[in-house]
Amino acid sequence: MKKHNFSAGPSILPREVIEKTAEAILDFNGSGLSILEVSHRSKGFEAVIAEARELFIELLNIPEGYSVLFLGSGASMQFAMVPFNLFEKKAAYLNTGVWASKAMKEAKGFGETIEVASSKDANYTFIPKDYAIPADADYFHITTNNTIYGTEILTDIDSPVPLVADMSSDIFSRPMDVSKYGLIYGGAQKNLAPAGLAFVIVKDELLGKVSRYIPTMLNYKTHIAEGSMFNTPPVLPIYSAMETLRWLKKNGGLVEMEKKNIAKAELLYNAIDNSKIFVGTAAKEDRSRMNVCFVMKPEYAALEADFQKFAQEAGMDGIKGHRSVGGFRASIYNAMPIESVQALVDCMNEFEKQNA
Ligand SMILES: *Cc1c(COP(=O)(O)O)cnc(C)c1O
């Protein structure tokens, strides 16, 4: 039976990327060696990381004056690296979920940290809009896509201070204006590559301004100076990232990707909105195109486990909601074809016909 992978992360990758990665594991570029056993300083791998960097710049239209880094250890390490490098006196955070508050918790260890707004009291079902960003903050931190709650900031907001964004789960899902950001980071395992890799896009002029000692490995300047090769980078995830970026480019880049993502999200949200038994959890105006969260209406709550089983048996994998929201979450990242979203919608409709 065909499996449809709705997992939140690690998550679906284009089939082609998985196949190309498998080929490189068996024989990297016809070298007779595996990508797993070559030096990260070999010519072959140098070309891979250079192409990945070039494709980041091309696809996201990254202006001059920014560096692109590939680092180990995921997005959570960036929660601390950001303040280490940018926090001098004060930082501001928008609290839109668990990831946002984990990022904010790290900043608090460095000094005065302002929570400009929070939707915690509403279990993060919406993105707060009415807030003021302190003009004397060193930076303002947002989480553009709240993977757990299915809310998303889809515009590149104007900030009077450097804007720092965790884009772990929506990078490359739409064209964006990188020049509005001071720093963008994320874990690769949602929309880019296998786990173990973080990407960072940083405006160079923001660095070197804090007075503290920054441990070598936590200093962005170290990695900029060495082209992400100060130490051994996560070679295999970088290889897969390069293949994903090639796939994105071949398929029309981010303009095309956004069209597909809008169509997929509309298909699924329409099914939820027209359902007798399911209901969405996120505020409509803040709905994520990447993670679609829904629950059973109260009168059908007893059917939750039944639908979970029904969907699993129909090949829908990974739709169980995060424990803090409950219900269901369908992650429909870039690599998810609309046919799989249609299969889920058909499955929901069939279950409704049998049970409502
Ligand atoms: C998954 C996720 C993280 C955590 O990523 P790790 O790479 O596991 O540290 C952080 N932020 C967001 C928005 C995420 O979706």
Side-chain angles (χ1 to χ4, degrees), residues 8-9 73-79 99-100 143-148 166-170 185-190 195-198 291 333:
S73 86
S76 300
M77 181 65 120
Q78 297 308 312
F79 297 166
W99 297 120
T143 309
T144 50
N145 186 63
N146 298 283
T147 321
I148 293 173
D166 175 356
M167 292 199 174
S168 292
S169 50
D170 64 348
Y185 69 86
Q189 69 274 21
K190 314 278 164 59
L197 171 69
N291 311 94
Y333 298 119

Side-chain angles (χ1 to χ4, degrees), residues 4 11 13 36 49 123 174 200 208 232 244-246 283 323 328:
H4 303 278
S11 41
L13 287 169
L36 301 178
I49 199 166
N123 199 28
R174 64 173 176 90
V200 178
T232 317
T244 300
L245 297 166
R246 281 183 179 173
R323 60 191 179 281
F328 309 99

Side-chain angles (χ1 to χ4, degrees), residues 337-353:
I338 196 160
E339 291 75 17
S340 288
V341 180
Q342 186 64 55
L344 175 60
V345 167
D346 293 345
C347 174
M348 291 161 72
N349 288 341
E350 181 57 30
F351 184 81
E352 183 164 330
K353 211 157 71 187

